[in-house]
Amino acid sequence: MFLENIINRDAVLCNAHARSKKHCLEILSELLVRTQPDIAAEDIFESLIERERLGCTGLDVGVAFPRCRVEGIDQCVAAMMKLSDPIDFDASDGEPVDLVFGLMVPNEVTDEHHADIAMLTDLLADAALRQRLRQATSSSALYKLLIEAGRLYAPGHLQTAHGS
């Protein structure tokens, strides 16, 4: 899976202003449904909140990966935002979050969807990529960095991404 198959450039937002974790999830839900006109942002927001109640989706080091299952889609749909000011996301390391990658997955999760999630988690764990994402000054630059990095982490290219 290449990242450009699940994230649209309209679903990437640089220097977003979120007042709180809840507000961040509201913005994220609006980004996630931009390519899904039959899905209401309010429904996605409620699903993201419900998922957060099960356990924080903060990955530490200033990154959060909120995700939820959604009826009516057959592939993952992603969104990304870089916050202008970090917010408390209840991450286990106590670090505020400034990079938020959201994901909607189908209700019936397949091995391919699990592989997508694992690839995205690996991608977000890359310290050099996180630094480049934090230096991005526009939504288009943020999108371009994501897509380029996603190609390195796609199946068959993982060894290159990790320097093996």
Side-chain angles (χ1 to χ4, degrees):
M1 184 270 321
F2 285 109
L3 196 50
E4 61 260 32
N5 294 340
I6 65 170
I7 191 166
N8 184 292
R9 86 174 47 250
D10 292 336
V12 176
L13 183 60
C14 187
N15 299 321
H17 297 282
R19 297 179 303 273
S20 64
K21 179 179 180 178
K22 182 178 177 182
H23 186 226
C24 177
L25 295 175
E26 285 178 289
I27 297 167
L28 186 62
S29 64
E30 292 170 13
L31 290 173
L32 283 165
V33 300
R34 284 190 173 173
T35 60
Q36 305 295 316
D38 296 335
I39 301 173
E42 297 81 17
D43 294 340
I44 300 307
F45 172 68
E46 289 301 322
S47 295
L48 290 172
I49 291 289
E50 187 176 311
R51 171 58 186 85
E52 282 298 316
R53 287 187 188 120
L54 297 175
C56 179
T57 57
L59 298 179
D60 295 339
V61 295
V63 178
F65 186 25
R67 54 208 176 273
C68 63
R69 292 183 184 218
V70 178
E71 187 73 41
I73 61 173
D74 57 4
Q75 74 172 27
C76 294
V77 176
M80 168 85 190
M81 59 186 188
K82 181 183 98 161
L83 302 177
S84 56
D85 295 305
I87 58 168
D88 180 17
F89 219 87
D90 303 317
S92 62
D93 67 355
E95 291 294 318
V97 163
D98 64 342
L99 297 174
V100 182
F101 195 96
L103 190 68
M104 298 188 307
V105 298
N107 261 348
E108 299 298 321
V109 179
T110 66
D111 288 343
E112 181 181 339
H113 302 130
H114 285 293
D116 290 349
I117 293 167
M119 187 272 297
L120 292 168
T121 303
D122 286 345
L123 185 84
L124 296 169
D126 185 318
L129 174 61
R130 289 193 313 269
Q131 180 179 0
R132 289 192 308 273
L133 293 172
R134 288 184 170 116
Q135 292 170 346
T137 58
S138 70
S139 298
S140 60
L142 194 61
Y143 177 78
K144 184 179 177 188
L145 286 167
L146 275 175
I147 297 306
E148 289 171 358
R151 288 184 181 139
L152 291 176
Y153 281 87
H157 298 288
L158 202 53
Q159 294 81 11
T160 304
H162 286 285
S164 301

